[in-house]
Amino acid sequence: MRKLSNFINYFFTGMGFGAIAYLIILTFAFPGVPTSPLGVISVFIISGLIGILSMIFAMDIPLAMAFGVHLLGTLLLVLIMIWINKWPVNFWLIGVFVLVYIVVWLIVILSQTQTVKEINSSIKKRNSKK
């Protein structure tokens, strides 16, 4: 049951990142372009799958290997989404992919750093009360 809970958590986290990225790209890169049901559904599903792919970082494999697999897997899933939606593939789109990938990683790193600081602070408070 715990494993299913992890899958669901990673899936919905991925969906959140993907939906935000999709809306930001539509808003600033393609203002006035309407969304389509297929576009929205594919973004949710592919983003969720990218979230599940992120579970590779919890495995006991070298970080560089996990990062490489995640990057290539994410690129493959994004290319599948592009193909499903019949979006054009060009250098600009690859640049957007790289930019979004980096921004998402920065957000994840900052979030994890904040979580570690909060945990360390709680531990220090608990230890100082003893």
Side-chain angles (χ1 to χ4, degrees):
M1 193 64 174
R2 173 98 171 120
K3 200 150 195 111
L4 178 62
S5 175
N6 277 345
F7 270 97
I8 292 169
N9 187 28
Y10 276 86
F11 186 86
F12 281 109
T13 299
M15 276 180 60
F17 278 113
I20 290 169
Y22 180 63
L23 291 173
I24 288 172
I25 290 167
L26 278 180
T27 301
F28 296 107
F30 301 106
V33 173
T35 60
S36 70
L38 179 62
V40 172
I41 291 168
S42 68
V43 166
F44 282 159
I45 293 171
I46 298 294
S47 298
L49 293 175
I50 293 169
I52 290 173
L53 181 61
S54 299
M55 293 177 79
I56 194 166
F57 293 104
M59 299 175 137
D60 192 23
I61 61 173
L63 183 60
M65 182 184 294
F67 185 76
V69 168
H70 185 267
L71 177 62
L72 291 175
T74 300
L75 180 59
L76 177 65
L77 287 166
V78 168
L79 289 173
I80 290 169
M81 181 174 57
I82 290 167
W83 176 74
I84 288 170
N85 289 288
K86 296 174 180 55
W87 294 334
V89 177
N90 52 36
F91 287 113
W92 188 88
L93 189 66
I94 301 302
V96 169
F97 168 80
V98 170
L99 180 64
V100 168
Y101 194 83
I102 290 169
V103 168
V104 168
W105 268 109
L106 289 174
I107 292 168
V108 168
I109 290 168
L110 290 172
S111 174
Q112 288 179 346
T113 301
Q114 183 62 32
T115 300
V116 168
K117 285 181 183 178
E118 290 171 3
I119 291 170
N120 286 339
S121 176
S122 295
I123 290 171
K124 283 180 185 177
K125 285 181 185 176
R126 187 187 66 198
N127 288 340
S128 67
K129 291 181 182 179
K130 288 185 177 184

